Amino acid sequence: MMETRAPAMNVSTKLERIAKLAKEKAGVALTTLAHHIDMEWLREAYRRTRKDGAAGVDGQTAEQYAQRLEENLASLLDRAKSGTYRAPPVRRTYIPKGDGSQRPIGIPTFEDKVLQRAVAMVLEAVYEQEFHDFSYGFRPGRSALQACEAFRSEMMRTAGGWVLEVDIRKFFDTLDHGCLQEILRQRVRDGVILRLIGKWLNAGVMEGVALSHPEAGTPQGGVISPLLANIYLHGVLDEWFVRDVQPRLSGRALLVRYADDLVMLFTQPRDAERLLDVLPKRFGKYGLTLHPDKTRLVPFHRPDRDDGSGQGPGSFDLLGFTYHWGLSRKGKWVVRRRTAKDRFRRTLRRIAEWCRTHRHDDVEMQHRALARMLSGHYAYFGVMSNGDALSRLREEVRNVWRKWLSRRSQRAALSWNSMLTLLKRYPLPQPRIVHRYGT
């Protein structure tokens, strides 16, 4: 047991040293980082890499890679350090989106995932000393629900204000490679690290037998992609907001960001309007564009606080929730959350499609899968004030399950009495409020 735990502990010590160095040398470009990546480091990166993903362009599975693990890792280390590593293209596939369209995703080779994980571990140790507290996406110990609660709590403290919803058009596809590398070099100038990232950015995408090389965007599906995106927006938005924007405001302002999902709260309307005016120019400087319809300023003051504009409080969406004002049981105005309409439809469409394709499966197996899906939904959306939406989803799932069970054969449709009998044996989980803070 000690032998299997020791490598992780040693790597942990190295990570602490990198973090300490980054903190002590704030604002200084670090030139010696890749020497930390050794066999021990790669073993830990391998341990942290998911083993159940689909194979990349080389067709190699995690199980096959593990058969000669030490030999494979030693070869990988040598190629990475010597500069002879060739980043393979990602294999493009598609998954259905909630609106019926398809989202392209990329599948790297397993070995590429391991190396990306190794480099991401280094970068994360550095940038965790840089990232601001209002950044929540893809960071250790942070979650989307924490971002939601932080923004909600600030709105309660300020009695609302003016909310700026920001939508970056196709962010992960349009991220500028040159700008990213320039931002990286401000903090990391290790040649091995930068060379590997450059190779991943230029590796290309394989779709069928066609190979393309997008000039923008992060490595699709790559382990390192979310971290690179975070580093990019840290430089483009977060640092600028703290350094240049907040000192010039006449009132208070808060930014909350989860990857490319972000909102801002202002206590003064003039501050919000000025930022909305300059924000497209700031993003345009780095090759990004804002969606003109989805980027909007929403008056969100507490209903009993008349701001003189004649506009009542609106609503806005963040990370799957719609935010609105409502009265608590004690008659006080509070910020409430409910499942956003598009997220509700997406979830129901996904479950209905599953019921259609699995309608001939054993009923007990179907029940287990549906119970898992509903419980997973409750685990995220089970917040106070959202009980009605959870109940409605359960009811809709019951209806679509009956619909597709009725189509298992040419016989008459499953009657409601028969469905109710079935549900007594295979009950769908009841809605559950998991997160009771922030009523």
Side-chain angles (χ1 to χ4, degrees), residues 194-214:
L194 293 178
R195 184 169 60 238
L196 286 171
I197 292 173
K199 289 182 177 183
W200 286 318
L201 292 175
N202 296 302
V205 176
M206 182 73 74
E207 187 167 3
V209 295
L211 176 63
S212 61
H213 291 85

PDB file of all heavy atoms in Angstrom, residues 194-214:
ATOM      1  N   LEU A 194       5.959  25.398 -23.273  1.00  0.00           N
ATOM      2  CA  LEU A 194       5.389  26.213 -24.353  1.00  0.00           C
ATOM      3  C   LEU A 194       5.396  25.464 -25.684  1.00  0.00           C
ATOM      4  O   LEU A 194       4.469  25.587 -26.487  1.00  0.00           O
ATOM      5  CB  LEU A 194       6.157  27.524 -24.478  1.00  0.00           C
ATOM      6  CG  LEU A 194       6.020  28.496 -23.299  1.00  0.00           C
ATOM      7  CD1 LEU A 194       6.869  29.737 -23.526  1.00  0.00           C
ATOM      8  CD2 LEU A 194       4.555  28.891 -23.083  1.00  0.00           C
ATOM      9  N   ARG A 195       6.453  24.681 -25.922  1.00  0.00           N
ATOM     10  CA  ARG A 195       6.536  23.930 -27.171  1.00  0.00           C
ATOM     11  C   ARG A 195       5.421  22.888 -27.246  1.00  0.00           C
ATOM     12  O   ARG A 195       4.784  22.713 -28.296  1.00  0.00           O
ATOM     13  CB  ARG A 195       7.897  23.259 -27.292  1.00  0.00           C
ATOM     14  CG  ARG A 195       8.104  22.524 -28.623  1.00  0.00           C
ATOM     15  CD  ARG A 195       9.570  22.095 -28.797  1.00  0.00           C
ATOM     16  NE  ARG A 195      10.000  21.207 -27.729  1.00  0.00           N
ATOM     17  CZ  ARG A 195      11.035  21.452 -26.925  1.00  0.00           C
ATOM     18  NH1 ARG A 195      11.725  22.566 -27.050  1.00  0.00           N
ATOM     19  NH2 ARG A 195      11.379  20.579 -25.987  1.00  0.00           N
ATOM     20  N   LEU A 196       5.163  22.199 -26.152  1.00  0.00           N
ATOM     21  CA  LEU A 196       4.101  21.191 -26.143  1.00  0.00           C
ATOM     22  C   LEU A 196       2.738  21.825 -26.363  1.00  0.00           C
ATOM     23  O   LEU A 196       1.908  21.308 -27.126  1.00  0.00           O
ATOM     24  CB  LEU A 196       4.123  20.418 -24.820  1.00  0.00           C
ATOM     25  CG  LEU A 196       5.252  19.399 -24.657  1.00  0.00           C
ATOM     26  CD1 LEU A 196       5.290  18.880 -23.229  1.00  0.00           C
ATOM     27  CD2 LEU A 196       5.094  18.245 -25.646  1.00  0.00           C
ATOM     28  N   ILE A 197       2.478  22.951 -25.697  1.00  0.00           N
ATOM     29  CA  ILE A 197       1.191  23.629 -25.874  1.00  0.00           C
ATOM     30  C   ILE A 197       1.027  24.083 -27.318  1.00  0.00           C
ATOM     31  O   ILE A 197      -0.054  23.945 -27.910  1.00  0.00           O
ATOM     32  CB  ILE A 197       1.077  24.817 -24.901  1.00  0.00           C
ATOM     33  CG1 ILE A 197       0.980  24.301 -23.462  1.00  0.00           C
ATOM     34  CG2 ILE A 197      -0.153  25.679 -25.242  1.00  0.00           C
ATOM     35  CD1 ILE A 197       1.023  25.380 -22.411  1.00  0.00           C
ATOM     36  N   GLY A 198       2.108  24.588 -27.913  1.00  0.00           N
ATOM     37  CA  GLY A 198       2.051  24.983 -29.314  1.00  0.00           C
ATOM     38  C   GLY A 198       1.713  23.814 -30.219  1.00  0.00           C
ATOM     39  O   GLY A 198       0.948  23.950 -31.189  1.00  0.00           O
ATOM     40  N   LYS A 199       2.254  22.649 -29.920  1.00  0.00           N
ATOM     41  CA  LYS A 199       1.966  21.456 -30.731  1.00  0.00           C
ATOM     42  C   LYS A 199       0.506  21.051 -30.594  1.00  0.00           C
ATOM     43  O   LYS A 199      -0.128  20.642 -31.581  1.00  0.00           O
ATOM     44  CB  LYS A 199       2.891  20.308 -30.320  1.00  0.00           C
ATOM     45  CG  LYS A 199       4.341  20.518 -30.743  1.00  0.00           C
ATOM     46  CD  LYS A 199       5.215  19.334 -30.359  1.00  0.00           C
ATOM     47  CE  LYS A 199       6.649  19.537 -30.854  1.00  0.00           C
ATOM     48  NZ  LYS A 199       7.531  18.397 -30.568  1.00  0.00           N
ATOM     49  N   TRP A 200      -0.041  21.140 -29.392  1.00  0.00           N
ATOM     50  CA  TRP A 200      -1.448  20.780 -29.213  1.00  0.00           C
ATOM     51  C   TRP A 200      -2.362  21.758 -29.936  1.00  0.00           C
ATOM     52  O   TRP A 200      -3.367  21.359 -30.510  1.00  0.00           O
ATOM     53  CB  TRP A 200      -1.784  20.721 -27.726  1.00  0.00           C
ATOM     54  CG  TRP A 200      -1.215  19.510 -27.055  1.00  0.00           C
ATOM     55  CD1 TRP A 200      -1.187  18.246 -27.549  1.00  0.00           C
ATOM     56  CD2 TRP A 200      -0.589  19.445 -25.768  1.00  0.00           C
ATOM     57  NE1 TRP A 200      -0.584  17.394 -26.658  1.00  0.00           N
ATOM     58  CE2 TRP A 200      -0.210  18.098 -25.544  1.00  0.00           C
ATOM     59  CE3 TRP A 200      -0.317  20.380 -24.775  1.00  0.00           C
ATOM     60  CZ2 TRP A 200       0.429  17.680 -24.391  1.00  0.00           C
ATOM     61  CZ3 TRP A 200       0.316  19.968 -23.611  1.00  0.00           C
ATOM     62  CH2 TRP A 200       0.686  18.633 -23.422  1.00  0.00           C
ATOM     63  N   LEU A 201      -2.014  23.026 -29.910  1.00  0.00           N
ATOM     64  CA  LEU A 201      -2.842  24.021 -30.590  1.00  0.00           C
ATOM     65  C   LEU A 201      -2.860  23.803 -32.097  1.00  0.00           C
ATOM     66  O   LEU A 201      -3.847  24.137 -32.763  1.00  0.00           O
ATOM     67  CB  LEU A 201      -2.328  25.434 -30.278  1.00  0.00           C
ATOM     68  CG  LEU A 201      -2.487  25.924 -28.829  1.00  0.00           C
ATOM     69  CD1 LEU A 201      -1.821  27.279 -28.651  1.00  0.00           C
ATOM     70  CD2 LEU A 201      -3.957  25.999 -28.433  1.00  0.00           C
ATOM     71  N   ASN A 202      -1.785  23.241 -32.633  1.00  0.00           N
ATOM     72  CA  ASN A 202      -1.662  23.071 -34.084  1.00  0.00           C
ATOM     73  C   ASN A 202      -1.818  21.631 -34.545  1.00  0.00           C
ATOM     74  O   ASN A 202      -1.554  21.323 -35.712  1.00  0.00           O
ATOM     75  CB  ASN A 202      -0.298  23.602 -34.552  1.00  0.00           C
ATOM     76  CG  ASN A 202      -0.170  25.098 -34.316  1.00  0.00           C
ATOM     77  OD1 ASN A 202      -0.957  25.882 -34.808  1.00  0.00           O
ATOM     78  ND2 ASN A 202       0.835  25.500 -33.546  1.00  0.00           N
ATOM     79  N   ALA A 203      -2.250  20.742 -33.643  1.00  0.00           N
ATOM     80  CA  ALA A 203      -2.296  19.312 -33.972  1.00  0.00           C
ATOM     81  C   ALA A 203      -3.337  18.986 -35.034  1.00  0.00           C
ATOM     82  O   ALA A 203      -3.173  18.052 -35.808  1.00  0.00           O
ATOM     83  CB  ALA A 203      -2.559  18.492 -32.712  1.00  0.00           C
ATOM     84  N   GLY A 204      -4.430  19.721 -35.063  1.00  0.00           N
ATOM     85  CA  GLY A 204      -5.456  19.480 -36.070  1.00  0.00           C
ATOM     86  C   GLY A 204      -6.561  18.550 -35.603  1.00  0.00           C
ATOM     87  O   GLY A 204      -6.521  17.980 -34.506  1.00  0.00           O
ATOM     88  N   VAL A 205      -7.547  18.406 -36.482  1.00  0.00           N
ATOM     89  CA  VAL A 205      -8.745  17.611 -36.201  1.00  0.00           C
ATOM     90  C   VAL A 205      -8.947  16.607 -37.327  1.00  0.00           C
ATOM     91  O   VAL A 205      -8.906  16.967 -38.511  1.00  0.00           O
ATOM     92  CB  VAL A 205      -9.986  18.519 -36.072  1.00  0.00           C
ATOM     93  CG1 VAL A 205     -11.244  17.678 -35.876  1.00  0.00           C
ATOM     94  CG2 VAL A 205      -9.817  19.514 -34.930  1.00  0.00           C
ATOM     95  N   MET A 206      -9.135  15.351 -36.965  1.00  0.00           N
ATOM     96  CA  MET A 206      -9.360  14.288 -37.950  1.00  0.00           C
ATOM     97  C   MET A 206     -10.844  13.920 -37.945  1.00  0.00           C
ATOM     98  O   MET A 206     -11.391  13.510 -36.922  1.00  0.00           O
ATOM     99  CB  MET A 206      -8.529  13.055 -37.616  1.00  0.00           C
ATOM    100  CG  MET A 206      -8.672  11.922 -38.617  1.00  0.00           C
ATOM    101  SD  MET A 206      -7.844  12.265 -40.190  1.00  0.00           S
ATOM    102  CE  MET A 206      -6.122  12.044 -39.703  1.00  0.00           C
ATOM    103  N   GLU A 207     -11.490  14.118 -39.095  1.00  0.00           N
ATOM    104  CA  GLU A 207     -12.902  13.744 -39.237  1.00  0.00           C
ATOM    105  C   GLU A 207     -13.008  12.776 -40.397  1.00  0.00           C
ATOM    106  O   GLU A 207     -12.870  13.166 -41.554  1.00  0.00           O
ATOM    107  CB  GLU A 207     -13.768  14.982 -39.463  1.00  0.00           C
ATOM    108  CG  GLU A 207     -15.250  14.680 -39.455  1.00  0.00           C
ATOM    109  CD  GLU A 207     -16.106  15.937 -39.367  1.00  0.00           C
ATOM    110  OE1 GLU A 207     -15.548  17.042 -39.362  1.00  0.00           O
ATOM    111  OE2 GLU A 207     -17.341  15.785 -39.288  1.00  0.00           O
ATOM    112  N   GLY A 208     -13.223  11.505 -40.071  1.00  0.00           N
ATOM    113  CA  GLY A 208     -13.152  10.479 -41.096  1.00  0.00           C
ATOM    114  C   GLY A 208     -11.700  10.338 -41.547  1.00  0.00           C
ATOM    115  O   GLY A 208     -10.825  10.010 -40.757  1.00  0.00           O
ATOM    116  N   VAL A 209     -11.446  10.635 -42.821  1.00  0.00           N
ATOM    117  CA  VAL A 209     -10.074  10.608 -43.333  1.00  0.00           C
ATOM    118  C   VAL A 209      -9.567  12.016 -43.620  1.00  0.00           C
ATOM    119  O   VAL A 209      -8.449  12.191 -44.103  1.00  0.00           O
ATOM    120  CB  VAL A 209     -10.001   9.757 -44.617  1.00  0.00           C
ATOM    121  CG1 VAL A 209     -10.335   8.308 -44.302  1.00  0.00           C
ATOM    122  CG2 VAL A 209     -10.936  10.297 -45.698  1.00  0.00           C
ATOM    123  N   ALA A 210     -10.400  13.018 -43.308  1.00  0.00           N
ATOM    124  CA  ALA A 210     -10.030  14.405 -43.605  1.00  0.00           C
ATOM    125  C   ALA A 210      -9.367  15.047 -42.385  1.00  0.00           C
ATOM    126  O   ALA A 210      -9.905  14.991 -41.268  1.00  0.00           O
ATOM    127  CB  ALA A 210     -11.262  15.200 -44.014  1.00  0.00           C
ATOM    128  N   LEU A 211      -8.202  15.653 -42.606  1.00  0.00           N
ATOM    129  CA  LEU A 211      -7.473  16.335 -41.542  1.00  0.00           C
ATOM    130  C   LEU A 211      -7.536  17.839 -41.780  1.00  0.00           C
ATOM    131  O   LEU A 211      -7.206  18.315 -42.871  1.00  0.00           O
ATOM    132  CB  LEU A 211      -6.012  15.877 -41.518  1.00  0.00           C
ATOM    133  CG  LEU A 211      -5.094  16.570 -40.508  1.00  0.00           C
ATOM    134  CD1 LEU A 211      -5.551  16.292 -39.075  1.00  0.00           C
ATOM    135  CD2 LEU A 211      -3.649  16.141 -40.701  1.00  0.00           C
ATOM    136  N   SER A 212      -7.969  18.586 -40.751  1.00  0.00           N
ATOM    137  CA  SER A 212      -8.018  20.045 -40.838  1.00  0.00           C
ATOM    138  C   SER A 212      -7.243  20.634 -39.678  1.00  0.00           C
ATOM    139  O   SER A 212      -7.048  19.990 -38.639  1.00  0.00           O
ATOM    140  CB  SER A 212      -9.465  20.547 -40.814  1.00  0.00           C
ATOM    141  OG  SER A 212     -10.111  20.170 -39.604  1.00  0.00           O
ATOM    142  N   HIS A 213      -6.794  21.886 -39.864  1.00  0.00           N
ATOM    143  CA  HIS A 213      -6.012  22.568 -38.833  1.00  0.00           C
ATOM    144  C   HIS A 213      -6.651  23.922 -38.523  1.00  0.00           C
ATOM    145  O   HIS A 213      -6.320  24.930 -39.174  1.00  0.00           O
ATOM    146  CB  HIS A 213      -4.563  22.759 -39.283  1.00  0.00           C
ATOM    147  CG  HIS A 213      -3.793  21.476 -39.381  1.00  0.00           C
ATOM    148  ND1 HIS A 213      -3.833  20.675 -40.504  1.00  0.00           N
ATOM    149  CD2 HIS A 213      -2.976  20.858 -38.489  1.00  0.00           C
ATOM    150  CE1 HIS A 213      -3.067  19.609 -40.296  1.00  0.00           C
ATOM    151  NE2 HIS A 213      -2.533  19.697 -39.092  1.00  0.00           N
ATOM    152  N   PRO A 214      -7.585  23.965 -37.573  1.00  0.00           N
ATOM    153  CA  PRO A 214      -8.215  25.234 -37.214  1.00  0.00           C
ATOM    154  C   PRO A 214      -7.176  26.240 -36.737  1.00  0.00           C
ATOM    155  O   PRO A 214      -6.229  25.883 -36.030  1.00  0.00           O
ATOM    156  CB  PRO A 214      -9.175  24.848 -36.083  1.00  0.00           C
ATOM    157  CG  PRO A 214      -9.406  23.377 -36.256  1.00  0.00           C
ATOM    158  CD  PRO A 214      -8.127  22.837 -36.802  1.00  0.00           C
TER     159      PRO A 214
END
